Amino acid sequence: MAIRDILVYPDKRLRQRARPVTEFDQELKTLVADMAETMYAAPGIGLAAVQVNVPLRVIVMDLTEEKDDLLVFVNPEIKPLEGTRECEEGCLSVPGIFAPVERAERVHVRAMNVDGEPFEFEADGLLSICIQHEVDHLDGKVFVDYLSRMKQYRVRKKLLKEQKQAQAA
Ligand code: NI
């Protein structure tokens, strides 16, 4: 296992549209293990493969406080159900920025596990919000896209400045 580099907004590679996984092989298992290690080390509660510059439809999540319940979604598809809900979001690719985003309150989720076995369920609460956030990454979207133009500009400016300072150091 290895910790991979997480792309930081406004890196253009975050705009890649991920393609479906077709090979459920050792390479996929290694990717999932690396993504989990990267997410736990960050630390974060969710990570999409696009964020580590792998344009495949793979998500890892762990919403528990104990960090002992890894969720893996391969080729996830979500369908919004009734209701909307506004929730403060953050993202490992947008460090230090938190802002409210409105999303579907509940979603129906279909996905596969790392062995290609399909499963489906209805998600609500934090799980629903988090899945919608991560599936957005697979479509090249970041939660900042939902904010006002002015706020997007400020986020971009702040993170570019931080990246420049980090490079200089
Ligand atoms: Ni994110």
Side-chain angles (χ1 to χ4, degrees):
M1 297 215 300
I3 291 177
R4 303 203 186 187
D5 288 334
I6 297 176
L7 301 177
V8 176
Y9 183 91
D11 194 310
K12 285 198 166 55
R13 291 169 292 178
L14 287 168
R15 300 305 181 184
Q16 304 175 86
R17 258 191 83 90
R19 57 180 189 274
V21 170
T22 52
E23 305 283 322
F24 293 82
D25 53 9
Q26 186 53 47
E27 205 177 317
L28 176 65
K29 290 186 173 73
T30 302
L31 172 65
V32 166
D34 285 358
M35 284 172 63
E37 192 177 356
T38 304
M39 172 184 74
Y40 286 127
I45 60 172
L47 188 71
V50 168
Q51 292 178 273
V52 292
N53 199 25
V54 177
L56 286 174
R57 303 192 79 82
V58 180
I59 290 167
V60 296
M61 278 170 38
D62 190 336
L63 304 180
T64 64
E65 229 157 84
E66 299 76 22
K67 299 295 165 208
D68 60 0
D69 187 18
L70 181 68
L71 305 174
V72 179
F73 302 92
V74 178
N75 300 338
E77 287 171 31
I78 55 175
K79 215 171 64 188
L81 301 173
E82 76 284 358
T84 58
R85 178 183 163 167
E86 196 177 70
C87 198
E88 183 109 324
E89 294 189 23
C91 178
L92 291 176
S93 292
V94 193
I97 308 288
F98 300 88
V101 176
E102 189 178 285
R103 299 203 186 258
E105 177 148 36
R106 284 153 48 78
V107 288
H108 185 263
V109 182
R110 289 176 53 177
M112 292 175 199
N113 67 13
V114 76
D115 296 313
E117 292 155 356
F119 60 94
E120 56 186 296
F121 64 100
E122 282 180 15
D124 59 12
L126 181 60
L127 181 60
S128 168
I129 301 294
C130 200
I131 288 179
Q132 292 174 73
H133 175 117
E134 300 307 335
V135 169
D136 269 357
H137 278 302
L138 302 183
D139 295 326
K141 267 190 270 175
V142 181
F143 85 96
V144 179
D145 303 347
Y146 295 102
L147 309 181
S148 70
R149 288 267 165 206
M150 180 54 80
K151 185 97 198 203
Q152 288 184 40
Y153 171 76
R154 283 202 212 108
V155 170
R156 193 187 170 87
K157 205 169 129 189
K158 178 171 187 280
L159 291 181
L160 283 173
K161 189 177 161 195
E162 283 172 9
Q163 285 163 54
K164 213 177 239 174
Q165 283 169 344
Q167 272 165 14

